[in-house]
Amino acid sequence: MPDSSISKFFEKTRTERLDVIKNFANLSEDDVKSLELPDGGITFDKADKMVENAFGTFSLPLGVATNFKINNKDYLVPMVIEEPSVIAAASKAAKLARPKGGFAVVADESYSIGQIQVLGTDIDNAISKIKENIKEILELANSKSNTLSKMGKGAKEITCKKLDTDFEPMLIVELLIDVGDAMGANVTNTMCEGVAPLIEKLTSGKTLLRILSNYSTRRMVKATAVFDKESVGGEKVVDNMIHAYQFAKHDVYRAVTHNKGIMNGIIAVANATGQDSRAIEAAANAYASRSGQYRSLSEWTKDSDGNLVGTLEIPLSVGIVGGIINVHPVAKICTKILGAESAKEMACIITATGLAQNFSAMRALATDGIQKGHMRLHARNLASAAGASTEQIDKIVSQMIEENNISVNRAKELLEQN
Ligand SMILES: CC(C)(COP(=O)([O-])OP(=O)([O-])OC[C@H]1O[C@@H](n2cnc3c(N)ncnc32)[C@H](O)[C@@H]1OP(=O)([O-])[O-])[C@@H](O)C(=O)NCCC(=O)NCCSC(=O)C[C@@](C)(O)CC(=O)[O-]
Ligand SMILES: NC(=O)C1=CN([C@@H]2O[C@H](COP(=O)(O)OP(=O)(O)OC[C@H]3O[C@@H](n4cnc5c(N)ncnc54)[C@H](OP(=O)(O)O)[C@@H]3O)[C@@H](O)[C@H]2O)C=CC1
């Protein structure tokens, strides 16, 4: 089994990095060529078919986090992100998690929730009618996807709820659909629209909205990792990280930033693998507010030996087929690099990366402060923004770090002096 703990990967050249990834993931020469394309894999022609009024494409850096062991399998985790230090932070956390087994992650089956809003009906009577005809509604829904039906997946349950509103009460009919290895938005919407006429017939009401819910609470993922207390930096650092977590648990202003750190990891992997990041963010934010107050998505405690234990639980709707995954060549290759064989496996990887990111940010905050690690890496960006050439960057960066004065202005001054 390939080993993702590749020390000093960041010191390798691009060719060496690609070679390591190629061997790790059994990529073909064509895959590597796609990764080397200057446009990031999407030609304008392709972009023009993906969105409206296209006039270009927009590239972002694609990197890979090393050291990940998730459910006893090693992963190199592709990440698309513009922010420096995120990939380094994920790699570092994954390295520190390895001695205690890495990340243990469990994911629900891929159940999507579709909602059908029914107006102008006798709600109690309508609910009885729907309950009497569940089989017929499910069969009609399942006729909309050959693949899911063949896989023994598809629409499985129907529930009804009465919603009191400021306008008039309404009936909400919810379809629970096992969407297999897809994110499942389109298939859910298709099924909702497909059964709406039957719902209208049964309820003598009028359906209005027929759409999936992005609050995918039947698609929960829970990642846990244990970090050896000595590797974390000793008892004091562990305690300070728990203080940091408690801050996020009890204060919304801190919680939003804490969760942003988690999203650094989650969205970067989501972007690399062609997921719908808006759906992921919307669901995570709602889940963070489930108690009525927005709070930390992760939890941090100590085990009986004083080691640090982190848990991240989120609703997560991701896939390995459908959406842009089959359209964007680089998203396809990133999925191949991960070797993810199911939507559940993809969900486990993404959640583990979120937890890893959270660990490193908290550790940095609870020890040296964020600027030391982050700004060192951000210095390259600043030097580049100041106009430094590739040859000049290293010298300017070293000088700014040495002076502990990392800013665009200082970079400009140094450039003028050189
Ligand atoms: C940046 C580090 C990792 C340096 O940390 P370090 O102590 O210099 O790293 P190290 O020398 O101990 O190296 C350990 C491992 O980290 C990785 N690593 C180490 N350096 C690199 C590098 N250059 N490129 C790629 N990987 C790197 C690499 O895997 C390495 O293992 P090795 O290869 O040596 O065997 C650390 O300071 C850190 O984790 N900082 C936190 C960074 C962070 O969270 N950034 C996010 C941006 S800030 C933000 O948006 C969110 C926030 C912070 O506000 C959230 C919140 O408030 O909670
Ligand atoms: N609110 C939201 O979040 C919304 C999001 N979207 C977008 O929808 C897209 C995702 O929708 P999604 O339904 O996943 O995408 P697709 O419709 O592209 O793909 C899903 C389809 O793939 C086929 N399929 C083939 N193999 C499998 C398998 N192993 N498991 C499951 N399905 C399989 C099935 O179709 P078949 O049975 O025909 O073979 C299935 O319906 C994203 O781009 C998202 O941005 C769209 C609307 C709203």
Side-chain angles (χ1 to χ4, degrees):
M1 200 167 81
D3 185 349
S4 68
S5 54
I6 306 159
S7 198
K8 304 292 173 219
F9 183 80
F10 56 92
E11 290 180 355
K12 293 185 188 299
T13 63
R14 184 186 185 193
T15 309
E16 288 166 343
R17 289 175 194 171
L18 277 167
D19 210 39
V20 170
I21 296 167
K22 179 174 180 253
N23 291 332
F24 182 92
N26 268 325
L27 299 185
S28 65
E29 289 297 337
D30 282 349
D31 291 337
V32 175
K33 272 193 201 126
S34 294
L35 291 173
E36 284 170 341
L37 285 177
D39 56 18
I42 301 216
T43 56
F44 176 73
D45 225 30
K46 200 158 240 180
D48 202 25
K49 292 186 185 74
M50 287 168 78
V51 299
E52 310 72 40
N53 300 347
F55 64 92
T57 58
F58 185 111
S59 297
L60 285 172
L62 167 63
V64 79
T66 52
N67 304 322
F68 272 84
K69 189 184 268 295
I70 303 167
N71 295 338
N72 282 322
K73 183 173 165 188
D74 272 50
Y75 295 92
L76 286 177
V77 181
M79 300 174 81
V80 165
I81 190 152
E82 84 296 349
E83 194 175 357
S85 83
V86 169
I87 297 173
S91 304
K92 175 160 182 160
K95 181 176 177 175
L96 294 185
R98 281 183 85 89
K100 295 276 177 199
F103 299 83
V105 195
V106 284
D108 288 346
E109 293 305 319
S110 303
Y111 281 113
S112 165
I113 299 166
Q115 297 190 301
I116 302 161
Q117 181 188 30
V118 191
L119 303 175
T121 181
D122 170 346
I123 294 179
D124 291 333
N125 204 24
I127 292 176
S128 308
K129 282 280 187 198
I130 286 169
K131 283 189 177 158
E132 282 164 23
N133 291 279
I134 282 182
K135 193 163 170 275
E136 194 188 343
I137 304 169
L138 290 177
E139 276 172 8
L140 181 58
N142 286 326
S143 68
K144 306 292 170 196
S145 170
N146 285 337
T147 306
L148 292 182
S149 300
K150 273 191 216 136
M151 290 167 75
K153 299 187 181 289
K156 296 288 172 194
E157 283 176 34
I158 293 176
T159 52
C160 297
K161 64 185 184 196
K162 182 179 172 183
L163 200 64
D164 288 319
T165 75
D166 300 339
F167 209 32
E168 62 176 76
M170 56 185 72
L171 169 65
I172 308 298
V173 180
E174 292 185 338
L175 291 184
L176 188 69
I177 305 160
D178 184 341
V179 293
D181 290 318
M183 181 251 185
N186 287 326
V187 72
T188 302
N189 295 342
T190 303
M191 287 189 180
C192 287
E193 291 189 6
V195 301
L198 176 58
I199 302 279
E200 287 189 348
K201 197 171 126 203
L202 293 169
T203 61
S204 305
K206 186 86 194 94
T207 59
L208 192 60
L209 272 58
R210 297 146 298 158
I211 186 83
L212 97 153
S213 166
N214 282 115
Y215 196 25
S216 42
T217 53
R218 296 292 299 265
R219 237 172 148 166
M220 298 301 300
V221 194
K222 187 172 180 179
T224 305
V226 179
F227 296 87
D228 173 74
K229 72 170 179 235
E230 297 312 329
S231 322
V232 171
E235 200 179 329
K236 184 79 188 141
V237 177
V238 169
D239 284 351
N240 283 344
M241 288 179 71
I242 292 175
H243 287 308
Y245 156 63
Q246 288 292 330
F247 185 7
K249 185 176 175 186
H250 294 282
D251 179 71
V252 63
Y253 285 87
R254 175 59 206 147
V256 172
T257 320
H258 178 96
N259 290 344
K260 186 272 183 186
I262 293 171
M263 287 299 149
N264 276 343
I266 289 178
I267 298 302
V269 188
N271 285 341
T273 57
Q275 311 299 334
D276 183 333
S277 58
R278 290 83 58 204
I280 295 173
E281 299 259 15
N285 286 327
Y287 196 64
S289 310
R290 66 195 181 282
S291 69
Q293 286 177 311
Y294 184 97
R295 291 295 178 247
S296 162
L297 283 164
S298 60
E299 282 184 18
W300 293 91
T301 52
K302 281 195 280 190
D303 68 11
S304 52
D305 297 323
N307 300 313
L308 184 69
V309 183
T311 307
L312 173 63
E313 186 181 46
I314 47 166
L316 188 61
S317 181
V318 294
I320 57 161
V321 294
I324 69 151
I325 301 156
N326 299 338
V327 178
H328 196 302
V330 176
K332 218 189 257 184
I333 298 169
C334 287
T335 304
K336 190 167 170 186
I337 293 170
L338 285 171
E341 285 173 8
S342 65
K344 275 172 75 168
E345 189 177 351
M346 180 65 83
C348 290
I349 297 163
I350 291 177
T351 308
T353 314
L355 183 62
Q357 199 58 51
N358 185 216
F359 167 87
S360 282
M362 279 187 15
R363 188 179 175 281
L365 289 165
T367 53
D368 301 324
I370 200 71
Q371 294 303 70
K372 189 175 170 208
H374 178 65
M375 286 308 278
R376 276 179 86 88
L377 296 172
H378 188 44
R380 297 181 67 78
N381 259 346
L382 298 178
S384 165
S389 64
T390 311
E391 295 73 41
Q392 290 170 312
I393 280 181
D394 280 343
K395 192 171 170 206
I396 303 281
V397 165
S398 312
Q399 210 161 332
M400 287 197 294
I401 289 171
E402 201 176 303
E403 293 172 358
N404 198 17
N405 182 3
I406 302 173
S407 68
V408 179
N409 278 345
R410 186 60 191 143
K412 279 186 182 155
E413 283 170 10
L414 291 171
L415 267 175
E416 278 162 20
Q417 289 164 21
N418 275 283

mmCIF file of all heavy atoms in Angstrom, residues 239-264:
data_model
loop_
_atom_site.group_PDB
_atom_site.id
_atom_site.type_symbol
_atom_site.label_atom_id
_atom_site.label_comp_id
_atom_site.label_asym_id
_atom_site.label_seq_id
_atom_site.Cartn_x
_atom_site.Cartn_y
_atom_site.Cartn_z
ATOM 1 N N ASP A 239 -3.534 21.814 26.848
ATOM 2 C CA ASP A 239 -4.517 22.589 27.628
ATOM 3 C C ASP A 239 -4.857 23.906 26.930
ATOM 4 O O ASP A 239 -6.025 24.307 26.873
ATOM 5 C CB ASP A 239 -3.983 22.875 29.034
ATOM 6 C CG ASP A 239 -4.074 21.632 29.921
ATOM 7 O OD1 ASP A 239 -4.708 20.645 29.481
ATOM 8 O OD2 ASP A 239 -3.498 21.626 31.016
ATOM 9 N N ASN A 240 -3.842 24.549 26.380
ATOM 10 C CA ASN A 240 -4.115 25.826 25.706
ATOM 11 C C ASN A 240 -4.977 25.629 24.459
ATOM 12 O O ASN A 240 -5.796 26.483 24.122
ATOM 13 C CB ASN A 240 -2.806 26.537 25.355
ATOM 14 C CG ASN A 240 -2.209 27.195 26.588
ATOM 15 O OD1 ASN A 240 -2.901 27.376 27.600
ATOM 16 N ND2 ASN A 240 -0.939 27.539 26.532
ATOM 17 N N MET A 241 -4.794 24.486 23.792
ATOM 18 C CA MET A 241 -5.642 24.222 22.623
ATOM 19 C C MET A 241 -7.089 23.966 23.059
ATOM 20 O O MET A 241 -8.033 24.350 22.368
ATOM 21 C CB MET A 241 -5.080 23.050 21.812
ATOM 22 C CG MET A 241 -3.811 23.459 21.068
ATOM 23 S SD MET A 241 -3.081 22.138 20.115
ATOM 24 C CE MET A 241 -4.240 21.933 18.784
ATOM 25 N N ILE A 242 -7.242 23.365 24.219
ATOM 26 C CA ILE A 242 -8.615 23.164 24.713
ATOM 27 C C ILE A 242 -9.227 24.514 25.142
ATOM 28 O O ILE A 242 -10.401 24.779 24.881
ATOM 29 C CB ILE A 242 -8.652 22.091 25.815
ATOM 30 C CG1 ILE A 242 -8.310 20.744 25.165
ATOM 31 C CG2 ILE A 242 -10.028 22.030 26.488
ATOM 32 C CD1 ILE A 242 -8.167 19.581 26.091
ATOM 33 N N HIS A 243 -8.394 25.383 25.712
ATOM 34 C CA HIS A 243 -8.892 26.746 26.003
ATOM 35 C C HIS A 243 -9.335 27.423 24.699
ATOM 36 O O HIS A 243 -10.349 28.117 24.667
ATOM 37 C CB HIS A 243 -7.800 27.603 26.643
ATOM 38 C CG HIS A 243 -7.505 27.246 28.073
ATOM 39 N ND1 HIS A 243 -8.494 27.150 29.034
ATOM 40 C CD2 HIS A 243 -6.339 26.989 28.711
ATOM 41 C CE1 HIS A 243 -7.933 26.837 30.196
ATOM 42 N NE2 HIS A 243 -6.629 26.716 30.038
ATOM 43 N N ALA A 244 -8.539 27.216 23.652
ATOM 44 C CA ALA A 244 -8.866 27.836 22.354
ATOM 45 C C ALA A 244 -10.207 27.307 21.854
ATOM 46 O O ALA A 244 -11.061 28.067 21.371
ATOM 47 C CB ALA A 244 -7.771 27.524 21.336
ATOM 48 N N TYR A 245 -10.392 26.005 21.993
ATOM 49 C CA TYR A 245 -11.660 25.405 21.562
ATOM 50 C C TYR A 245 -12.836 25.936 22.388
ATOM 51 O O TYR A 245 -13.906 26.277 21.863
ATOM 52 C CB TYR A 245 -11.577 23.868 21.655
ATOM 53 C CG TYR A 245 -12.926 23.225 21.797
ATOM 54 C CD1 TYR A 245 -13.874 23.337 20.788
ATOM 55 C CD2 TYR A 245 -13.269 22.529 22.956
ATOM 56 C CE1 TYR A 245 -15.135 22.771 20.933
ATOM 57 C CE2 TYR A 245 -14.515 21.976 23.108
ATOM 58 C CZ TYR A 245 -15.450 22.103 22.097
ATOM 59 O OH TYR A 245 -16.695 21.562 22.246
ATOM 60 N N GLN A 246 -12.622 26.037 23.710
ATOM 61 C CA GLN A 246 -13.709 26.508 24.579
ATOM 62 C C GLN A 246 -14.134 27.930 24.204
ATOM 63 O O GLN A 246 -15.309 28.279 24.279
ATOM 64 C CB GLN A 246 -13.268 26.449 26.058
ATOM 65 C CG GLN A 246 -13.182 25.031 26.607
ATOM 66 C CD GLN A 246 -14.554 24.361 26.728
ATOM 67 O OE1 GLN A 246 -15.559 25.024 26.943
ATOM 68 N NE2 GLN A 246 -14.587 23.051 26.572
ATOM 69 N N PHE A 247 -13.163 28.722 23.791
ATOM 70 C CA PHE A 247 -13.447 30.081 23.314
ATOM 71 C C PHE A 247 -14.427 29.985 22.126
ATOM 72 O O PHE A 247 -15.466 30.656 22.083
ATOM 73 C CB PHE A 247 -12.104 30.714 22.931
ATOM 74 C CG PHE A 247 -12.106 32.151 22.516
ATOM 75 C CD1 PHE A 247 -13.244 32.956 22.613
ATOM 76 C CD2 PHE A 247 -10.924 32.738 22.039
ATOM 77 C CE1 PHE A 247 -13.205 34.295 22.228
ATOM 78 C CE2 PHE A 247 -10.883 34.070 21.660
ATOM 79 C CZ PHE A 247 -12.026 34.838 21.742
ATOM 80 N N ALA A 248 -14.100 29.104 21.172
ATOM 81 C CA ALA A 248 -14.951 28.965 19.987
ATOM 82 C C ALA A 248 -16.303 28.334 20.326
ATOM 83 O O ALA A 248 -17.300 28.571 19.653
ATOM 84 C CB ALA A 248 -14.236 28.115 18.936
ATOM 85 N N LYS A 249 -16.315 27.532 21.381
ATOM 86 C CA LYS A 249 -17.572 26.874 21.763
ATOM 87 C C LYS A 249 -18.553 27.889 22.368
ATOM 88 O O LYS A 249 -19.762 27.723 22.264
ATOM 89 C CB LYS A 249 -17.268 25.761 22.777
ATOM 90 C CG LYS A 249 -18.485 24.949 23.146
ATOM 91 C CD LYS A 249 -18.152 23.813 24.069
ATOM 92 C CE LYS A 249 -19.430 23.109 24.495
ATOM 93 N NZ LYS A 249 -19.173 22.090 25.500
ATOM 94 N N HIS A 250 -17.995 28.935 22.984
ATOM 95 C CA HIS A 250 -18.859 29.825 23.752
ATOM 96 C C HIS A 250 -18.961 31.244 23.202
ATOM 97 O O HIS A 250 -19.626 32.072 23.805
ATOM 98 C CB HIS A 250 -18.386 29.861 25.216
ATOM 99 C CG HIS A 250 -18.573 28.538 25.898
ATOM 100 N ND1 HIS A 250 -19.802 28.111 26.359
ATOM 101 C CD2 HIS A 250 -17.712 27.527 26.137
ATOM 102 C CE1 HIS A 250 -19.677 26.897 26.872
ATOM 103 N NE2 HIS A 250 -18.412 26.508 26.748
ATOM 104 N N ASP A 251 -18.312 31.511 22.075
ATOM 105 C CA ASP A 251 -18.347 32.883 21.563
ATOM 106 C C ASP A 251 -18.491 32.851 20.041
ATOM 107 O O ASP A 251 -17.647 32.286 19.344
ATOM 108 C CB ASP A 251 -17.052 33.611 21.958
ATOM 109 C CG ASP A 251 -17.031 35.027 21.417
ATOM 110 O OD1 ASP A 251 -17.798 35.868 21.921
ATOM 111 O OD2 ASP A 251 -16.252 35.291 20.479
ATOM 112 N N VAL A 252 -19.546 33.470 19.545
ATOM 113 C CA VAL A 252 -19.815 33.402 18.109
ATOM 114 C C VAL A 252 -18.723 34.092 17.295
ATOM 115 O O VAL A 252 -18.377 33.642 16.194
ATOM 116 C CB VAL A 252 -21.222 33.964 17.781
ATOM 117 C CG1 VAL A 252 -21.349 35.430 18.136
ATOM 118 C CG2 VAL A 252 -21.572 33.757 16.325
ATOM 119 N N TYR A 253 -18.169 35.170 17.804
ATOM 120 C CA TYR A 253 -17.146 35.889 17.036
ATOM 121 C C TYR A 253 -15.915 35.009 16.823
ATOM 122 O O TYR A 253 -15.296 35.013 15.778
ATOM 123 C CB TYR A 253 -16.766 37.207 17.737
ATOM 124 C CG TYR A 253 -17.852 38.238 17.541
ATOM 125 C CD1 TYR A 253 -18.936 38.309 18.409
ATOM 126 C CD2 TYR A 253 -17.819 39.093 16.454
ATOM 127 C CE1 TYR A 253 -19.951 39.220 18.197
ATOM 128 C CE2 TYR A 253 -18.826 40.010 16.230
ATOM 129 C CZ TYR A 253 -19.891 40.076 17.105
ATOM 130 O OH TYR A 253 -20.894 40.966 16.883
ATOM 131 N N ARG A 254 -15.567 34.242 17.849
ATOM 132 C CA ARG A 254 -14.442 33.311 17.708
ATOM 133 C C ARG A 254 -14.868 32.089 16.872
ATOM 134 O O ARG A 254 -14.098 31.591 16.042
ATOM 135 C CB ARG A 254 -13.945 32.899 19.108
ATOM 136 C CG ARG A 254 -12.858 31.860 19.109
ATOM 137 C CD ARG A 254 -11.603 32.276 18.339
ATOM 138 N NE ARG A 254 -10.909 31.076 17.864
ATOM 139 C CZ ARG A 254 -10.215 30.972 16.750
ATOM 140 N NH1 ARG A 254 -10.065 32.018 15.955
ATOM 141 N NH2 ARG A 254 -9.664 29.847 16.409
ATOM 142 N N ALA A 255 -16.091 31.626 17.096
ATOM 143 C CA ALA A 255 -16.539 30.398 16.416
ATOM 144 C C ALA A 255 -16.492 30.542 14.893
ATOM 145 O O ALA A 255 -16.103 29.613 14.183
ATOM 146 C CB ALA A 255 -17.957 30.035 16.863
ATOM 147 N N VAL A 256 -16.876 31.709 14.404
ATOM 148 C CA VAL A 256 -16.896 31.896 12.942
ATOM 149 C C VAL A 256 -15.474 31.761 12.380
ATOM 150 O O VAL A 256 -15.252 31.114 11.352
ATOM 151 C CB VAL A 256 -17.531 33.262 12.562
ATOM 152 C CG1 VAL A 256 -17.360 33.535 11.077
ATOM 153 C CG2 VAL A 256 -19.007 33.276 12.926
ATOM 154 N N THR A 257 -14.498 32.313 13.085
ATOM 155 C CA THR A 257 -13.106 32.240 12.602
ATOM 156 C C THR A 257 -12.574 30.807 12.726
ATOM 157 O O THR A 257 -11.890 30.302 11.837
ATOM 158 C CB THR A 257 -12.218 33.197 13.427
ATOM 159 O OG1 THR A 257 -12.954 34.388 13.661
ATOM 160 C CG2 THR A 257 -10.936 33.509 12.707
ATOM 161 N N HIS A 258 -12.897 30.181 13.845
ATOM 162 C CA HIS A 258 -12.511 28.783 14.085
ATOM 163 C C HIS A 258 -13.061 27.904 12.944
ATOM 164 O O HIS A 258 -12.326 27.102 12.353
ATOM 165 C CB HIS A 258 -13.116 28.402 15.442
ATOM 166 C CG HIS A 258 -12.906 27.012 15.899
ATOM 167 N ND1 HIS A 258 -11.894 26.651 16.757
ATOM 168 C CD2 HIS A 258 -13.610 25.872 15.656
ATOM 169 C CE1 HIS A 258 -11.989 25.359 17.028
ATOM 170 N NE2 HIS A 258 -13.013 24.861 16.369
ATOM 171 N N ASN A 259 -14.335 28.120 12.622
ATOM 172 C CA ASN A 259 -14.951 27.308 11.563
ATOM 173 C C ASN A 259 -14.401 27.674 10.183
ATOM 174 O O ASN A 259 -14.322 26.829 9.295
ATOM 175 C CB ASN A 259 -16.472 27.462 11.585
ATOM 176 C CG ASN A 259 -17.082 26.789 12.808
ATOM 177 O OD1 ASN A 259 -16.421 25.970 13.455
ATOM 178 N ND2 ASN A 259 -18.316 27.120 13.126
ATOM 179 N N LYS A 260 -13.986 28.923 10.024
ATOM 180 C CA LYS A 260 -13.351 29.315 8.758
ATOM 181 C C LYS A 260 -12.071 28.491 8.568
ATOM 182 O O LYS A 260 -11.754 28.042 7.470
ATOM 183 C CB LYS A 260 -13.057 30.823 8.773
ATOM 184 C CG LYS A 260 -12.530 31.365 7.450
ATOM 185 C CD LYS A 260 -11.021 31.269 7.316
ATOM 186 C CE LYS A 260 -10.531 31.896 6.021
ATOM 187 N NZ LYS A 260 -9.097 31.689 5.792
ATOM 188 N N GLY A 261 -11.353 28.267 9.667
ATOM 189 C CA GLY A 261 -10.142 27.441 9.584
ATOM 190 C C GLY A 261 -10.490 26.020 9.134
ATOM 191 O O GLY A 261 -9.793 25.428 8.307
ATOM 192 N N ILE A 262 -11.582 25.488 9.657
ATOM 193 C CA ILE A 262 -12.033 24.147 9.238
ATOM 194 C C ILE A 262 -12.359 24.166 7.740
ATOM 195 O O ILE A 262 -11.967 23.275 6.976
ATOM 196 C CB ILE A 262 -13.265 23.721 10.071
ATOM 197 C CG1 ILE A 262 -12.857 23.512 11.531
ATOM 198 C CG2 ILE A 262 -13.932 22.472 9.484
ATOM 199 C CD1 ILE A 262 -14.012 23.300 12.498
ATOM 200 N N MET A 263 -13.054 25.227 7.326
ATOM 201 C CA MET A 263 -13.454 25.338 5.907
ATOM 202 C C MET A 263 -12.242 25.504 4.989
ATOM 203 O O MET A 263 -12.302 25.147 3.813
ATOM 204 C CB MET A 263 -14.422 26.520 5.724
ATOM 205 C CG MET A 263 -15.775 26.240 6.281
ATOM 206 S SD MET A 263 -16.528 24.816 5.450
ATOM 207 C CE MET A 263 -17.505 24.172 6.750
ATOM 208 N N ASN A 264 -11.140 26.041 5.510
ATOM 209 C CA ASN A 264 -9.910 26.115 4.696
ATOM 210 C C ASN A 264 -9.583 24.737 4.132
ATOM 211 O O ASN A 264 -9.209 24.597 2.969
ATOM 212 C CB ASN A 264 -8.720 26.539 5.560
ATOM 213 C CG ASN A 264 -8.620 28.049 5.733
ATOM 214 O OD1 ASN A 264 -9.229 28.803 4.991
ATOM 215 N ND2 ASN A 264 -7.859 28.475 6.729
#
